[in-house]
Amino acid sequence: MLSQKTRYTIRALQHLADHWQQGAVRLDAVAEAQNIPRKFLTVILAELVREGLVISHRGRDGGYELALPPVDIRYGDIIRLTRGSLALVPCASRNAHEHCTNCLPEVECRLRGLMLTLRDEMAAMLDRMTLADPIEVEPPFADDPAPALAD
Amino acid sequence: MLSQKTRYTIRALQHLADHWQQGAVRLDAVAEAQNIPRKFLTVILAELVREGLVISHRGRDGGYELALPPVDIRYGDIIRLTRGSLALVPCASRNAHEHCTNCLPEVECRLRGLMLTLRDEMAAMLDRMTLADPIEVEPPFADDPAPALAD
DNA sequence: GTTTAACTCTACCTAATCAGTAGACAACTG
DNA sequence: CAGTTGTCTACTGATTAGGTAGAGTTAAAC
């Protein structure tokens, strides 16, 4: 599962991408539009600024904007950034490789073999998509009708 | 990430698959061969017995064996069982769907759209592979030579 | 029919992580 | 220089992960 923070991060970036080249977007605007706790969002955005994905402007009429064109920010990068890795097990990460604890030697671990293949498939998809891509939304599943929007 | 427990579960099942139709495999044999804490493994196997994936035999010469031929146990099923879902966000699960907290209405959530597509790709792969499939292992990454096996 | 090596079950524990908040401070603009 | 904005360090409460303890139950073998 992606953590709540990763999900907020992605939605925040999508919001900034939607307002690309329209000037800085205020924190509150993002928080309200995306339904993200304001205070938590400051933490998230500060991190994105440190990472160089976002630029902030202080003072009156300040706010945030993407540091790069949306087309240059891939979903794979965002997830790697917030989560460290795309892989489902530490030993199958190509960017943040670690040995699993209590595992077999990697050279004979079939779980690792499987997860490497899966990781590569996931990466291929997530690195193909950028913040500039329109994404088709899907209707909620029928057996689980959307309740009133959680407030 | 898959939890440690899910990883143990998969490796334990792979071990039983390797000994399919060779009689019951003792708990200790699995624990030692797969480097899984013995006591924790009892919890895991008891769960698999309850779920009907594994059969246990008590008493002398007891042990565990798969309840189904390996070819009938898909990796996707194992993960769904231990993890509830293949999806990376609750709202993108087709089997255990839940609304995300603090999200947009699902019908306009692009993160959900993306994660549904990803989920379906992951599912396609994991449901194609079963415990009967040989899996190619890969050598450890060069920049991170395998240390002595953790004891 | 007793032994004995297995499995089973409930309960518990500790440490880490997650999700989020508090509050003082710094910077920019009009 | 007032007011609005972002920045930073620290903290907290709840949940989950990972695993252990220990008493009890089976059933094959002898």
Side-chain angles (χ1 to χ4, degrees), chain B residues 14-33:
Chain B
Q14 284 176 334
H15 190 88
L16 296 184
D18 291 342
H19 295 82
W20 172 241
Q21 289 187 325
Q22 296 173 21
V25 182
R26 278 186 305 117
L27 179 85
D28 283 324
V30 181
E32 276 159 39

Side-chain angles (χ1 to χ4, degrees), chain B residues 26-27 50 56-60 63-64 102:
Chain B
R26 278 186 305 117
L27 179 85
R50 269 197 300 279
S56 69
H57 303 278
R58 298 183 160 198
R60 263 193 85 128
Y64 299 87
N102 286 352

Side-chain angles (χ1 to χ4, degrees), chain A residues 8-9 11-12 30-32 34-38 40-41 44, chain B residues 102:
Chain A
Y8 288 156
T9 302
R11 298 220 319 279
V30 181
E32 276 160 37
Q34 295 295 325
N35 199 17
I36 302 174
R38 184 200 142 84
F40 199 20
L41 184 55
I44 290 168
Chain B
N102 286 352

Side-chain angles (χ1 to χ4, degrees), chain A residues 51-109:
Chain A
E51 297 288 349
L53 242 59
V54 165
I55 294 172
S56 69
H57 303 276
R58 298 183 160 197
R60 261 194 86 126
D61 301 331
Y64 299 88
E65 62 182 316
L66 293 184
L68 288 63
V71 71
D72 289 334
I73 303 181
R74 299 179 298 179
Y75 282 98
D77 296 328
I78 304 174
I79 295 182
R80 278 186 209 96
L81 198 78
T82 61
R83 193 173 186 271
S85 163
L86 293 176
L88 259 43
V89 292
C91 66
S93 170
R94 294 195 185 277
N95 300 275
H97 179 255
E98 279 177 56
H99 293 282
C100 300
T101 54
N102 286 351
C103 199
L104 302 180
E106 294 194 355
V107 70
E108 49 187 84
C109 182

Side-chain angles (χ1 to χ4, degrees), chain B residues 126-149:
Chain B
L126 291 171
D127 286 337
R128 202 166 52 230
M129 304 285 295
T130 75
L131 287 180
D133 291 305
I135 294 180
E136 291 164 39
V137 297
E138 292 194 35
F141 299 131
D143 58 350
D144 188 49
L149 174 57

